[in-house]
Each structure stands twice: as C-alpha cells, then as structure tokens.
C-alpha cells in the first residue's frame, strides 16, 4: 500500500496558493482570513473523505475515521498556520500527508481495528498570538483554555483569540479534551540540515530538546554621543553585545547547547545617543535538562557581573520554559520499522524546534517523523523539501499508522 | 549693562509651552505645526523690538538691528527646533538670550557702530529631515539649496523640506547668502558634564570636534535557532556585538576618541531566528582630524576581519563626514574677556556636539559660549541648566556682542 504521490504534491501546491506571497513564500497567520480559507478548504477535503468532523473550543479541527471500535484512537496531523515569512511545508505537510493517508486507506477499503483522527492544530507558530503550540497546549491542559482565549493579537490589542475564532467561524463546541487519544504521530520537515548532510531520508524523532526563552531589559542612561566621556557612560548596548559574545562561547562549552540572540530593541535607537534601554530575548536549547539549566545559570551569572561592571540595571522575565520532552520508544521503533520496510535510510534524532507533538506527549504516546529540509532552511520563503522525500515521509506515516491502529 | 533675568526666564518658560510634552520635555520637530507656532511667536517678539525681519529661502529667520552702518554685521542665535525627546534649552536658549541682548540694547538706547542680527536657523536637529544643521549649511553653501529642498520627511515620504516650508508659511524670499556677516556667536548649553564637574560657569569654545557617521549593513543568513548548528550559522548580530566591544576599546586607545553605537536594527528581529541582516550607524568623534581618520581606518579594518571570520558580508555608506572646525581665536579671546569682566569662572573647551556655528565658521569669524548642563543631560526631557547659569551666559553674550559690534 502506497500513498498517491501526485495527489499529495498537488494538494501541497493548491494549499500554498492560500496566503501566497509574491516571493514564493506563504503568509497564513493564525485566525486571519487566510487561515479561515485554508481551514474551509481542509474541512471540505475531510468531508469528501467521509470523515466525522469536529471543531473544538480552541479551533482545533478533527477528522475522524472510525474503525471497528473507537479505541485505540491514533491521531496524526500538524498545523496550517505559518509565520509571516513562511514556506509551503512547515505544518502544512503533516496535515496534507495525513489527509493522503486517509485517502489511501479509503481507496484500499481498509477497515481498521481502532480508529484514526487527523488534526489541524490552531496557532502552532505563535506569530500572531502567544503562546505558540496553542491548540495542542489547550488539549493537554484544558484548564488553561480561558486564559488562552484572552491572549491578544500582536497587531491589534482589541482582538483576542476568542474574538478572532468567532469572527472566522472556528470557535467550535467540541471540548478540548473530548477525545481520548492513545497515540499522536506528527510528520514534519526537519527544519535543520542534519538529514540532508548525512544523506538520510527519515528521522525517527525520540526527543524534543528543551527551550528556555528569557527576556532581559537593561537600563543604562541616555547620553549625548559627542559630549559624554566614556567614563561617565552607562551603555546598555555594551552589556548586550558582551552577552551575545558570551552566549556564543557557551554554545561551544556545554554539550549540545544552542544559544541565540535573535531579538534586540534599542531605545531611543538614535545614532548620537548612548542607548538608555535595550531589550533582548535569549533562546537557549539543549536536549539535556540539566545541561540546559546549567547554561541558563551561567548566562544569568554573567549578566549579573557584566551589568554591574557597566553600572546598568536589568529586569528579567522568563517567557518560555519547556524542558526536553522524550517521545514514546515504542512509537519510535514503529517508525524505524516502517522506514526499514520501505528501504529508506533513517536515524533516531532530536527535534531542535518545538512542535504540537511535545504537548500531545503529555496525554498520550507521541513521536515524530522528519524528512530532509534543503539547506536546513525554514521559517523562510526559501524553505524546500524534495518531492521524493515528501512522498517517502507520507508512506512512512501511512505504514506506521496502519501498524499502530491494528496492533496497539 | 545687564540683561533682564526675569524676562529671559519668562520667555524660556513661555516658549517651552509650544510643543510641550506631558513629561516636562518639548517636542518641536522642524517644519511641523509646533515649529510654525514657535516661529510666529519669535517673529512677533522681533517685530516688537523694531527689528527688520527677513525669512530666507530655507526658512532661516533674521531680526536685524541696524547700527550707524550695516557693517560690521555681528550675528548670533541658534535654533528653535528640537528632537522628539527634547528639553527646554537646547537651541531655544541661544535664540532667546539673543532676543534679550537686543531688548537690553534697546532699553539702554545703545546706538552701535556696526549692526547686529539675531538668527533662528531651520532644522538644526535633523530629527525630521536630513541633514542636520540644515539652515546654516544652506547659508554657507548656497549651491546646495535645491538639493536640500528635496530632502524628504522621515515620517512621510510625500513631504519634503520645500513643501513643508510652504505649508507653514516660512519659504521666504531672502537669498540664503543675502547678508554678509562678519561674525557669528552662538550661546548654547554644554550638553556635557565638564563645566559642572569642574565648577566653571562659562566655556569659551574654540573648536568643534570632528564627527564621522558610517552606516554598515551586515548580511548573514536567517536560520532557525533550534535546528541550526553553531558551525553552520552566519550570525550578523555577532559581528555587530564584536564591533561594539572593539569600538569601546578604541575609545581608550586613541587620544580624545569617542565611539558610539546608538542605532541598531535587526531583521527579521524574531527570538528564534538567527539575524539575517543587521544595520548599525557608528558615531566617531575626535577634536584631531588625523586621529579621527585613524579611528575610522582601524574600525574599518576590524569590520573587514570580523565579518570575514563570521562569513558575513556588508555594505558601507558614509553618512556624515565633518572634520574638526576651529573657531576664531579673536572671538574666543573676546568671550574670555567678557567672562573675566563679569567675574565668572571659565575655560576654553571643545564642543562635542555639532552646531550651526561650525557651518557659519566657513563664511565668517565664529565662536561659541557654553554654560553648564546639569549631569550633562541633553536630547532628553530631563535636560536642565540652572537659572544663574542661564543669566550669566546671556550677560557674556551681551558683553561680547557689544564689544564686537563697536570694535571689529
């Protein structure tokens, strides 16, 4: 049994037209008109496949294909929302490959023992509303639903998640914990260079590395660049520059550690004014929880020292604290077995990015399948994966689901 | 002969109401409605003092008090425009002290040998239109007038200097080079901490230090913070951080050197994306032209090396190249003599900031008088100078002008 390659690739192309950017990328921010159009498109596809469709209170979409019994209930999917400079594959690929899996089961008139569910999660990217992985977070922690509903749009403070769900017609009546999933499987592009570099076709993801985001606002003193002696300056920018170089060194010292300073805001940000205030958010990641904590502690210790030496004070806010999430060994083995059965080259690996699967891991057995991303490029209009890899991944998903739904 | 202290301070308070910010500062950007109101206010004051008023093609305002002959023509003044986060004294003080000088001469019915001219220059700050020191630049280089007229507003590309001058009614018919000034004297707050720290009352400014602004745009590669190994990164932000620390060291190595990185723009400026592109403008100043050139060369050499080591390319644009401007020794001596005659403590000094006086120095004898700025704060709503210092400075201006207008 194999998926229909042409139909998968055609669906990817068709979906990419919704929110298409002129530069070849896709912009389909969560709960915008473009998101609604893509959701309507998916709902129609689900209905055409005779799935039982549900929308829950956070807008997650479910297409359920019943087997001989409702349990075990094997879920798979991903998300249709993108970042502003998004590509065609991040999220979309997992949903459309899932659709293709169901299409293939239907065409082959397979009656499964358990049931399966295709899911499109709301706002995985977090590019318009915080936090990211919102839909799967609500499923794993229903007690957070009301707080999540109140989250305001970054572009317009008068809009929140609930009002935008209502506006686009996707505030559903299914409870976020209505379904009892036994497994969750997510197929995704790697978003990194490892599979390509090692000439492998499939990654069996056994762990999502931990992610810590910490915001620091450094308070120096605004001063005239032409008249303030160096000794009289409290330059918040120099603290941040020193920190950036320290973080780079830290990445080389602690095993598996990645440190990134991707966001900086200067105030007043004027050529001839020593910066009074600088905001940064630092992104620390490590597959090992203890090492990640150690990296954060070393960074905090350094920040304390360097700030003091520049007579700069600071505020600190922990924005994200995701510890590493191990996936189900049983599911990872099932993925490896499927890849092996298809004669594909594979390895176990760690996910560097966060995914809905890590939220689902809190309530059921979960794992992920990766395929190569060319040059590791993602969250970028140049994001690309080869058709053969896209097809291989969907077949691994098909075989793994087929195994799980009859064997669990 | 002494100026009227109360009237000077009252005028400063009254003017500060035009464009007043709620936090105590002043926002009166060049050629805005607030600038127009302050200009109308000044024009009325000039007319009340029976001055012959002129507006030139770049909007500079002149109030001329004729003596026995038109020459020598001793000019003084400053500017009424402010930065966004401006205070009450930068620019305004020089104009209003000049007004007070004329008021005092009138009240004492002094008939001078030569004539005097009070000037309010257009757009000294450069906070809404580039370049700064625009009005005095046009006076010293009339051949640039047409180019300057075309300069677009930072906040609205459809507006330029000429259209905004017309809109507020200050596109005058006097030629920018209509008047033949023999001297230009500018009274200003120091905008630095030196006079206050040394407990002095007057600075006789004999030099404006050189100012070089250079814009660099560094091109790295956007990459996912969670999935891109350190070895595969081209982080434009690390180049800029390294440069900032290098510049700080350079300030300690080259005599009199000040280096500032006040403006940074990251793109895409997202927490979990390695910066693809970073723009900075660096501000280098030195009273010595050769040392300033040396600092710029060292910075450029470092930038070349550090960019290469991070596999980052860059574009470079020279935005400002003002070499140091020496003032007239004769005028500096006249200022010292006036300060000495008033029993004030003074010293010769260098201006760290740029001023209209440096443009005027190209066409006549020029110099500046500084008074203390509390904590050296300027371009900041907390800018402050003590009343006694404000009064002292105006009396030094009065006496220096009186000497020049009868002795030159």
């Amino acid at each position: 049994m194999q998926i229909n390659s042409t139909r998968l690739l055609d669906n990817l192309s068709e979906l990419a037209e919704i929110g298409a950017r002129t530069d070849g990328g896709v912009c389909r921010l969560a709960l915008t008109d473009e998101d609604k159009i893509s959701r309507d498109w998916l709902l129609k596809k689900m209905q055409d496949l005779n799935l039982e469709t549900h929308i829950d209170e956070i807008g997650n979409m479910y297409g359920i294909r019943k087997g001989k019994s409702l349990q075990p209930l094997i879920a798979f999917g991903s998300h249709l929302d993108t970042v502003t400079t998004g590509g065609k594959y991040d999220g979309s690929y997992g949903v459309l490959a899932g659709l293709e899996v169901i299409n293939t089961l239907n065409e082959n008139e397979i009656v499964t023992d358990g049931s399966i569910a295709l899911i499109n999660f709301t706002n995985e990217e977090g590019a318009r509303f915080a936090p990211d992985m919102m839909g799967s977070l609500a499923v794993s922690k229903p007690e957070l639903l009301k707080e999540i509903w109140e989250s305001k749009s970054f572009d317009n403070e008068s809009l929140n998640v609930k009002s935008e769900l209502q506006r686009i017609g996707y505030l559903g009546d299914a409870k976020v914990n209505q379904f009892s999933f036994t497994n969750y499987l997510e197929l995704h592009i790697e978003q990194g260079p490892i599979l390509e570099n090692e000439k492998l076709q499939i990654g069996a993801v056994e762990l999502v590395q931990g992610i810590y985001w910490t915001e620091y606002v450094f308070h120096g003193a605004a001063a005239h660049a032409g008249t303030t002696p160096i000794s009289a300056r409290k330059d918040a920018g120099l603290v941040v520059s020193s920190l950036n170089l320290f973080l780079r060194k830290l990445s080389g010292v602690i095993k598996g550690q990645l440190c990134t300073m991707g966001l900086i805001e200067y105030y007043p940000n004027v050529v001839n004014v020593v910066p009074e205030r600088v905001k940064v958010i630092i992104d620390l990641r490590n597959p090992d929880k203890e090492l990640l904590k150690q990296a954060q502690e070393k960074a905090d210790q350094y920040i304390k020292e360097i700030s003091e030496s520049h007579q700069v004070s600071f505020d600190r806010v922990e924005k994200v604290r995701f510890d590493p999430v191990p996936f189900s060994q049983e599911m990872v083995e099932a993925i490896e077995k499927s890849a092996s059965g298809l004669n594909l080259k594979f390895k176990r690996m760690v996910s560097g990015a966060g995914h809905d699967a890590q939220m689902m891991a809190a309530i059921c057995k979960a794992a992920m399948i990766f395929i190569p991303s060319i040059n590791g490029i993602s969250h970028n209009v140049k994001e690309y994966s080869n058709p053969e890899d896209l097809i291989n991944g969907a077949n691994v998903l098909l075989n793994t689901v087929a195994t799980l739904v009859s064997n669990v």
Side-chain angles (χ1 to χ4, degrees), chain A residues 216 218 236-250 259 261 280 282 284 293-312 314 316:
Chain A
Y216 300 86
F218 296 97
L238 279 167
V239 170
V240 167
S241 292
S242 302
L243 173 59
N244 200 11
L245 297 185
F246 177 82
L247 291 176
R248 167 54 67 101
K249 278 185 206 145
L250 203 57
C259 303
M261 189 184 279
V280 295
I282 66 173
L284 304 189
K293 280 186 165 179
Q294 208 182 97
Q296 183 65 52
E297 281 163 16
K298 281 184 191 290
D300 278 313
Q301 182 59 32
Y302 180 79
I303 287 164
K304 198 164 163 289
E305 290 164 13
I306 192 75
S307 298
E308 272 174 22
S309 77
H310 282 278
Q311 296 180 273
V312 164
F314 66 90
R316 175 184 185 277

Side-chain angles (χ1 to χ4, degrees), chain A residues 43-184:
Chain A
L43 194 62
K44 172 84 168 40
K45 294 278 183 192
M46 285 176 166
Q47 288 161 347
D48 290 347
L49 293 177
N50 298 314
L51 300 183
E52 179 189 302
T53 60
H54 299 270
I55 314 294
D56 75 13
E57 304 155 293
I58 196 65
N60 295 324
M61 299 172 65
Y62 306 86
I64 294 177
R65 183 178 190 274
K66 290 208 170 125
K68 291 175 193 155
S69 67
L70 187 55
Q71 290 285 319
L73 180 54
I74 314 299
F76 47 87
S78 194
H79 59 96
L80 294 188
D81 72 308
T82 74
V83 295
T84 310
T85 56
K88 296 174 181 170
Y89 307 102
D90 180 354
S92 299
Y93 171 52
V95 176
L96 297 195
L99 202 64
E100 185 52 40
V101 164
I102 292 170
N103 220 326
T104 306
L105 293 176
N106 284 6
E107 284 179 339
N108 287 277
E109 295 176 1
I110 307 285
V111 179
T112 56
D113 293 339
S115 299
I116 62 179
L118 170 63
I119 311 180
N120 168 35
F121 285 111
T122 293
N123 185 33
E124 192 271 347
E125 294 292 2
R128 190 172 171 233
F129 297 93
D132 54 355
M133 301 180 272
M134 182 180 275
S136 50
L137 175 66
V139 169
S140 67
K141 293 191 175 167
E143 67 274 19
L144 296 180
L145 178 65
K146 284 189 181 155
E147 187 186 323
I148 293 172
W149 270 346
E150 301 295 322
S151 175
K152 288 173 181 167
S153 163
F154 299 155
D155 49 9
N156 185 340
E157 285 246 315
S158 70
L159 307 177
N160 64 27
V161 167
K162 192 174 185 185
S163 71
E164 284 293 272
L165 279 169
Q166 273 170 325
R167 186 184 68 81
I168 67 165
Y170 278 87
L171 180 65
D173 51 11
K175 297 289 166 197
V176 286
N177 56 353
Q178 184 155 327
F179 307 101
S180 297
F181 303 109
T182 33
N183 302 69
Y184 177 75

